[in-house]
Amino acid sequence: MIENINSFIFQLMNYPYLQNALFAAVLVGIICGVIGCFIILRGMALMGDAISHAVLPGVVIAYMLGASFFVGAVITGVLTALAIGFISQNSRIKEDSAIGIMFTAMFAAGVVLITALQGTSVDLWHILFGNVLAVSRTDLYFTLGIGIFVLGTIVIFYRPLLLSTFDETMAKATGLPVKWIHYMLMLLLSFVTVASLQTVGIILVVAMLITPGATAYLLTERFSVMLFLSAFFGVFSAVTGLFFSVIYDVSSGASIVLVASVLFAIAFFFAPKQGLVFKMLKKPKNETVAP
Amino acid sequence: MADERSIKVDRLSVHYHGQTAIRDITFTVSKGMIVGVIGPNGAGKSTLMKAMLGLEKSKGEVLFFGKKINAIRKQVAYVPQRNSIDWDFPVRVEDVVLMGRFMHIPWYKKTSREDRSRAREALEQVGMQDYSNRQIGELSGGQQQRVFIARALAQDADLFFLDEPFVGIDIESEKIIVELLHQLSKEEKTIFIIHHDLSKVEKYFDELVLLNQTLIQAGNVKEVYKPSFLKEAYRGSAAVINEGNEMVVVGP
């Protein structure tokens, strides 16, 4: 193991592409972890999955037009969020079904477009599962820009975000634009998805959004701490996952997600208060807690 | 003008998908009153409250001391029904109370020491200062309700809207909350309380708004809390027994 770590560090020092990959993965770990906390507590995990899949046609169309794939992704991501809201508000279809309909439709459109473009350099596999080792300097700056924007927005709107997540009716009553906050989060979610495209890919973004946040959720009772812990687990998974990916020559995105999942499993069983093991040990005493 | 001392609701109606939730509700309440909003299940009590707060598309007009709701939002404290809150949410008691200060803090500023001390003071008023570091899910129902009352107090509001605050709480908490509400009313705060249970109505409220989709009667408790009006509102889903001076209400 030590040998492997040394080899990883050696490669890291000598190959700029690996340095880019590491920075990009760390950034993605942070922003996914932070946005993910809001997604989890608002019960929007499925929405996160939807938006991340829905950026696919945007990316492909942008590629066809020679435009920035960032713009394309954000447009289709936000359009999907709006369409989901529109369907669930204007028919008897419930939101989870609306999500299921919209995101598969968008994703299918993306796949059709890509297969129609066969022979070009759009690599479906890399968009779907990421290829962090192909991250260029420009990509890295771009990810950094998104990261700063996303974190900045969350710092500025921390209190409205917290209040509207915790108690929507009070947030509305005191005049917060709850609907706009929702769409702002959807926008940030599309940004984050695009930033994560190369690191973990569209399919696995949702894991980076949900798993580190869920792990943090089991470990703390304060929202601010949850944000930091979640970002930390995101970064830890990114670095460790990249390490395994380089040493054993396996998919980077999938290794990162696997590390995050292992962290979750550990917290699930052994978290001091919420862990299954300690809950079972404590059970008889805890039964006095009021409903 | 009399307007500045009263809350006027004028022909307020709310429709959902073509169905009437409340229709033509009109009443006036003066400042500093504790107002009970009562009626059977599905009478539109929560809808009325939400429409008054401008959270529901409605027809008609609501004026708070001569102003529209949007002009006085910071002065409105809202205490939600307990079952609308996610009690697993990672917040501690002190964090929840501090939320009552949020609307007073400009977005570019951090929460100040004054905000924190106001929150602590509010927690002391409801007797929950010893629990400030607990996660909210660890408290009993009554304690949880007291924490939300503390949040409303910390807001330094003029208007309070409470949605079923006495459901599923212990006697001790209920006593503390009722005393606080009476104290607030003495300070000229106006309080609206959705109340489901017909017992203790006379003890708790100064005025009543009795409704079942339409307004049955509104005004002073003594004038509204009468068998004839209650029967009309509950339409047989509650039995009202008149025993000399005492009135006994059974169900719903």
Side-chain angles (χ1 to χ4, degrees), chain A residues 160-184:
Chain A
L161 276 168
L162 174 60
L163 183 55
S164 68
T165 305
F166 176 63
D167 185 349
E168 195 181 321
T169 319
M170 177 189 170
K172 278 188 201 157
T174 56
L176 285 181
V178 170
K179 242 190 195 153
W180 287 107
I181 292 176
H182 172 79
Y183 286 116
M184 184 185 84

Side-chain angles (χ1 to χ4, degrees), chain A residues 204-232:
Chain A
L204 293 176
V205 171
V206 71
M208 289 308 282
L209 286 169
I210 308 302
T211 314
T215 313
Y217 185 35
L218 294 177
L219 293 171
T220 179
E221 283 162 3
R222 306 204 76 178
F223 186 61
S224 47
V225 179
M226 180 178 166
L227 288 174
F228 282 104
L229 271 181
S230 177
F232 169 77

Side-chain angles (χ1 to χ4, degrees), chain B residues 5-46:
Chain B
R5 307 260 325 142
S6 66
I7 295 160
K8 286 190 168 171
V9 174
D10 189 22
R11 281 168 293 163
L12 196 63
S13 302
V14 175
H15 301 276
Y16 293 120
H17 309 293
Q19 280 192 321
T20 311
I22 52 171
R23 195 172 70 233
D24 286 335
I25 306 266
T26 301
F27 62 89
T28 304
V29 173
S30 33
K31 198 175 183 179
M33 291 291 150
I34 302 182
V35 185
V37 178
I38 57 174
N41 275 331
K45 304 187 288 286
S46 290

Side-chain angles (χ1 to χ4, degrees), chain A residues 37-38 40-43 88-91 155-176 216-217 220-226 273-274 288-291, chain B residues 17 50 53 55 69 73-74 76 78 80 82 84-92 94-96 99-100 102-103 105-111 133-141 144 148 151 155:
Chain A
C37 291
F38 291 99
I40 291 173
L41 291 172
R42 287 171 162 253
S88 60
Q89 275 158 29
N90 289 291
S91 73
V155 169
I156 290 170
F157 295 108
Y158 178 74
R159 287 187 296 257
L161 276 168
L162 174 60
L163 183 55
S164 68
T165 305
F166 176 63
D167 185 349
E168 195 181 321
T169 319
M170 177 189 170
K172 278 188 201 157
T174 56
L176 285 181
Y217 185 35
T220 179
E221 283 162 3
R222 306 204 76 178
F223 186 61
S224 47
V225 179
M226 180 178 166
K273 246 183 176 169
Q274 302 294 331
T288 48
V289 173
Chain B
H17 309 293
K50 283 184 177 157
L53 289 169
L55 306 180
I69 180 73
R73 284 221 180 267
K74 281 188 183 175
V76 177
Y78 174 82
R82 272 199 327 113
S84 74
I85 293 295
D86 171 11
W87 296 103
D88 288 328
F89 201 96
V91 282
R92 295 183 185 179
E94 55 183 0
D95 304 325
V96 172
M99 285 179 200
F102 280 6
M103 66 290 300
I105 311 170
W107 61 270
Y108 51 86
K109 276 195 183 154
K110 286 177 78 173
T111 44
N133 283 330
R134 296 284 194 88
Q135 195 266 336
I136 48 165
E138 292 171 19
L139 309 176
S140 74
Q144 289 170 342
F148 276 80
R151 181 177 76 173
Q155 203 180 325

Side-chain angles (χ1 to χ4, degrees), chain A residues 14 16 21 131 149 176 204 234:
Chain A
N14 288 289
N131 180 17
F149 179 79
L176 285 181
L204 293 176

Side-chain angles (χ1 to χ4, degrees), chain A residues 129-165:
Chain A
F129 296 104
N131 180 17
V132 75
L133 299 178
V135 171
S136 68
R137 262 286 127 129
T138 331
D139 295 334
L140 185 60
Y141 288 137
F142 174 70
T143 310
L144 185 66
I146 292 182
I148 290 169
F149 179 79
V150 169
L151 294 181
T153 311
I154 287 176
V155 169
I156 290 170
F157 295 108
Y158 178 74
R159 287 187 296 257
L161 276 168
L162 174 60
L163 183 55
S164 68
T165 305

